[in-house]
Amino acid sequence: MTGAPTIVALRNVGKTYDSGTVALDGFNLDVQGGEFVALLGPSGCGKSTVLRIVAGLSEATQGAVERPDGNIGFVFQEPTLMPWASVATNVRLPLKLAHADDAQAHAAVVQALARVGLAEFAEAYPRELSGGMRMRASIARALVTEPQLMLMDEPFAALDEITRFKLNNDLLRVWQELRRTVIFVTHSVFESVYLSQRIVVMTPRPGRVFAEIPIAAPYPRDEHFRTSADYAATCRKVAEALEGAMAEGAS
Amino acid sequence: MNDRILRIALPLLMLVLVVLAWDLAVRLYAIPPYVLPGPGLVLATLNADAGLLWQSLLVTFTITFEGFMLAAVGGIVLAVAFNQWRLVEYSFYPYAVILQVTPIVAVAPLLLIYLPQPLAVLACAWIVAFFPVLANTTLGLNSVDHNLIALFDLYKASRWQVLWNLKLPAALPQMLAGLRIAGGLSLIGAVVAEIAAGSAGAGSGLAYRIAESGYRLNIPRMFAALLLLSLAGVAIFFALSALSYLALRRWHESAVRRER
């Protein structure tokens, strides 16, 4: 990790909505290239706001934001697919909007679908797929432009546990293959420990960094890690930090 | 019994019963044809006047179709313009509403004064039919999933790309619902204008035939023309429903058949 360039830097960032709600206040975050960072916090703590600011979908009202300009992948909490288009057409969308060359776009779509295990469902429509498969399609769409930065906003929160574990494993596999930077928002302690190299624990509104916890466990991580004593101990530590963050927010 | 068979068989059975009752009443009470013609006489008139009525049907149908097409294009174009330029919406929307809420029967005579008769009839068909297309398409364009809009933003899509690749396809179900309503309404508009034109005009549409037959107390022909008119309305409805089904069957909940 050392020596990798910083690709995202938020300095003292604040966000106040027109309604007067202060979503973020004095938020700091540095992310290095190739890193897998989890943003952990209770709902309404401004995690999604951080992602939207990094994506450029929302403007910070205070502080300095350094972020890559363009080629960012975003995965929403819902699959957010176009229901009138096939999976392949959905995945191809970012390339189509960028007027990419047809043959290259086709090859990129095939590759992205293969990465998430949807190669055989290219011509299916979203409504014909299960929730997990729709989310895979959504991830394939984010991967298709080979972004240097992937932003994921509680992508697996609505899935059942079995599907979520499977997608966790597949996401880690893809990350190890491609080594792109991932910022992953979640409210699950277990998910954040399983996936990431570093957990940023946030306080509830206004969102601020309460603690940063590095997770030293080596990759590849699999079901052995999920059931290990080391995993359980780390989860306890992170859960305690989260409790502390909530207590600070409440005071 | 199979639900689909019942759905077809029951309305047919009701039709047969009503026609039988009608026939029976006419015979039993010896009602004269200038008060109420029996179903047999209506069919016979339909057959005898086939040439005349068919020509009239064609006239009304052509006007209806033209009015519908103009309403479809006008409604969709106006909805897109409203969606793209807020100021256009502010400027014109109230007048679109006024045009819709003013009863067409009251507007038709005025139109007949200023416009040549065929054009006035067409204008009536258009006025009543365009608003549902406008209102439904506007609703569709404004109800696009905000996350999909954010996604298009993220990939720096142009306004045109957002409209063509996102908003229009997303609005398709509502747009088709609007067109289905407009189909029936454009027929009503054409008929109202023909009736208003009355004997003063040179019109030879079905509605004009009904009015004319009324003056001549040719009640059987009134019924025959009315029958053709409602068949035309049913045909329009089915054609537009089929169009809607074909366009939506692969992805929209309203057109997807579910197994239980």
Side-chain angles (χ1 to χ4, degrees), chain A residues 52 55-57 69-70 72-74 76-78 80-85 93-94 96-99 123-125 127-128 141-142 145, chain B residues 144-158 161-162 164-167 169-171 249-253 256-258:
Chain A
R52 295 180 71 86
L57 292 172
D69 186 28
I72 294 175
F74 201 110
F76 296 89
Q77 191 169 349
E78 286 91 38
T80 313
L81 300 170
M82 301 178 290
W84 56 85
L93 178 75
K96 184 181 178 185
L97 293 177
H99 303 289
E123 294 315 313
Y125 278 68
R127 55 161 292 277
E128 297 163 347
R141 179 180 58 196
T145 57
Chain B
V144 179
D145 177 356
H146 65 276
N147 276 337
L148 272 173
I149 296 207
L151 188 80
F152 274 67
D153 264 3
L154 184 76
Y155 291 115
K156 302 186 166 61
S158 67
Q161 283 177 320
V162 172
W164 190 250
N165 295 301
L166 177 60
K167 285 185 171 178
R249 77 201 141 126
R250 286 224 59 181
W251 64 276
H252 198 255
E253 285 298 334
V256 171
R257 197 163 279 151
R258 293 209 168 270

Side-chain angles (χ1 to χ4, degrees), chain B residues 15 24 37 45 50-51 87-88 90 98 114 126 132 165 182 185 188 214:
Chain B
L15 179 72
L24 208 63
T45 312
L87 293 183
V88 175
Y90 294 167
I98 290 172
Y114 294 113
W126 179 79
N165 295 301
L185 284 181
I188 292 177

Side-chain angles (χ1 to χ4, degrees), chain A residues 32-50:
Chain A
Q32 267 81 47
E35 204 181 1
F36 197 127
V37 178
L39 289 186
L40 176 68
S43 40
C45 75
K47 311 183 291 276
S48 297
T49 305
V50 173

